[in-house]
Amino acid sequence: MRSLLSGLSLLSLFAAAQSHICIIEPHQRGAMNISSPADDTCFRRYPSCGGIAAGPVTATYRVNEPTRILFQQNLNHWNQDKPGHFDLAVSYNNEATWETLKTFGDFPGNDMVQQTNFTFDVKFTQVAKHAILRLRYISYNKFEVYPKNNTDAVFYQCSDIEIVPSTLKAIDEEPTTIQVAEKASSCTTPKRWTATSTSNLQHTKIYYDATGPIVRWDRTVLATGITTSYITNYTLTSEGIIEYGIQEDTKSCITYGADKFYPWAYGSIGSAQCADQQDIIQCADHSSGVSWSARRISGSDMCLPHSLQKPHEHIEFRSEEVSSFDPSTFKLPSYCKSPSVKKISCHQ
């Protein structure tokens, strides 16, 4: 399992079509490819299971025993105006009814093209020869509405499982409590800044210019040494907002239909709460296990990124405010302007 988790969390870089959620364990219905962001095996937009017919059982679990579910958010579609969420549910009667197992909030990734693995323990309450596990990502992102009647921009995934009797003696569980900040804290980053970071998975450099707005991420996967630059020009064009994925070594370029720009800011929103810890603003969403923090700029009401903790990745930022960028920072290479560049759209 350890090698599987480290491999799956890598931010691999090129893909065939948009995707957004994938159930890894138990194996989802149909094919699955999570080696890259935006793979079409996870782009499923129709209820309840993305239009994929039921298949054979891929895993067997015991009733009322802790069961670990592993899935991947294949692209981040955070909506600042109305934050989205995920839910896990199970049907023991062929979709006649659904029992919600877990609900947890989305998080501000500040870039769409990224992959995040989540692991949650749940308990199934009924024995069933063939049950259906359903994962939904309700993004509320208007840039992700597909088809037209899917107005909450929901993504679906299902797995076929069996639930058998337990061999454990039932015990009473103590209720868990979550500490919530008494005083909400917030701040916004400056108009222009840079940040570098190294996590257990990748090395990253960020160039952020809110006056464009335009943002660049350079990501080097530690396991492969491959570097990809992602440049997003949030100026709306006739083709929408475009994010470019660029590999200089291979002179490769791919374009994504990106979501709208939202300021890089910190504050209690959705199911996340923030609190001051000296010069650090610490934010956490206990429902998802994701936390993020910012360092206040001395003598200012602004802040800079300090850390991001995902379930399988910890990132520490070294950030500084800048007055301007060299024009070459956001310049696209000529091969990105070729008519043959692969284009990925959220609307298949």
Side-chain angles (χ1 to χ4, degrees):
M1 176 63 70
R2 184 178 302 274
S3 61
L4 173 67
L5 291 178
S6 61
L8 295 177
S9 297
L10 295 177
L11 283 155
S12 307
L13 308 169
F14 291 99
Q18 281 285 30
S19 71
H20 309 271
I21 53 171
C22 316
I23 302 178
I24 303 169
E25 295 178 2
H27 194 290
Q28 67 188 36
R29 288 183 179 179
M32 178 182 63
N33 177 13
I34 51 173
S35 63
S36 349
D39 188 87
D40 60 356
T41 59
C42 300
F43 185 87
R44 295 174 181 172
R45 306 304 304 273
Y46 298 94
S48 294
C49 295
I52 307 299
V57 166
T58 59
T60 299
Y61 302 109
R62 294 192 179 276
V63 69
N64 292 322
E65 293 188 15
T67 300
R68 181 149 295 181
I69 305 300
L70 173 63
F71 77 91
Q72 183 181 99
Q73 181 191 45
N74 201 242
L75 291 175
N76 180 277
H77 292 305
W78 170 261
N79 180 18
Q80 187 83 1
D81 300 325
K82 184 180 180 181
H85 64 275
F86 302 82
D87 65 34
L88 275 167
V90 62
S91 177
Y92 305 103
N93 50 16
N94 196 29
E95 302 186 34
T97 59
W98 293 93
E99 176 186 314
T100 300
L101 303 170
K102 180 79 175 178
T103 300
F104 43 98
D106 198 6
F107 72 97
N110 292 292
D111 184 44
M112 182 186 72
V113 184
Q114 58 179 284
Q115 295 163 269
T116 303
N117 284 357
F118 291 91
T119 304
F120 289 106
D121 286 336
V122 300
K123 288 184 179 181
F124 300 109
T125 61
Q126 298 182 36
V127 171
K129 191 68 176 176
H130 193 141
I132 302 169
L133 178 69
R134 183 191 67 190
L135 170 67
R136 297 189 302 177
Y137 177 15
I138 300 96
S139 71
Y140 298 126
N141 192 319
K142 68 178 183 179
F143 283 76
E144 304 303 326
V145 171
Y146 179 85
K148 290 182 179 180
N149 63 349
N150 185 3
T151 54
D152 286 339
V154 183
F155 303 87
Y156 300 88
Q157 203 64 255
C158 286
S159 299
D160 298 289
I161 60 176
E162 179 184 17
I163 314 297
V164 298
S166 174
T167 58
L168 298 181
K169 181 180 179 181
I171 58 173
D172 294 330
E173 293 186 347
E174 292 292 330
T176 58
T177 58
I178 296 175
Q179 297 296 323
V180 178
E182 295 181 0
K183 180 182 178 182
S185 303
S186 63
C187 67
T188 303
T189 60
K191 291 183 178 179
R192 298 182 184 90
W193 51 267
T194 63
T196 58
S197 70
T198 299
S199 74
N200 53 310
L201 299 176
Q202 62 180 325
H203 176 77
T204 304
K205 183 157 188 180
I206 304 169
Y207 307 82
Y208 178 89
D209 189 344
T211 64
I214 189 167
V215 181
R216 171 175 169 171
W217 295 64
D218 293 342
R219 294 185 176 122
T220 302
V221 177
L222 300 182
T224 64
I226 296 174
T227 299
T228 299
S229 297
Y230 293 94
I231 299 177
T232 308
N233 187 339
Y234 289 96
T235 303
L236 201 59
T237 69
S238 59
E239 296 183 1
I241 300 170
I242 304 299
E243 179 163 357
Y244 295 85
I246 306 160
Q247 283 190 352
E248 179 63 29
D249 290 348
T250 59
K251 298 295 187 290
S252 303
C253 189
I254 192 169
T255 65
Y256 300 84
D259 298 330
K260 78 170 186 176
F261 175 80
Y262 53 89
W264 197 307
Y266 295 80
S268 299
I269 187 171
S271 53
Q273 297 290 329
C274 300
D276 281 314
Q277 298 179 357
Q278 296 182 343
D279 63 337
I280 301 296
I281 293 180
Q282 182 68 49
C283 303
D285 185 339
H286 296 286
S287 69
S288 65
V290 179
S291 62
W292 52 97
S293 67
R295 173 177 52 84
R296 290 192 182 276
I297 299 174
S298 179
S300 168
D301 59 356
M302 293 185 291
C303 59
L304 287 165
H306 179 259
S307 70
L308 171 62
Q309 178 69 57
K310 298 181 180 183
H312 300 290
E313 183 179 19
H314 179 71
I315 303 169
E316 295 283 345
F317 293 105
R318 295 172 296 281
S319 311
E320 64 176 350
E321 185 177 4
V322 297
S323 58
S324 63
F325 288 105
D326 186 291
S328 64
T329 302
F330 303 109
K331 185 178 180 180
L332 294 174
S334 58
Y335 50 83
C336 280
K337 302 174 184 178
S338 168
S340 62
V341 168
K342 180 180 292 184
K343 296 180 180 180
I344 293 179
S345 171
C346 295
H347 311 121
Q348 294 185 337

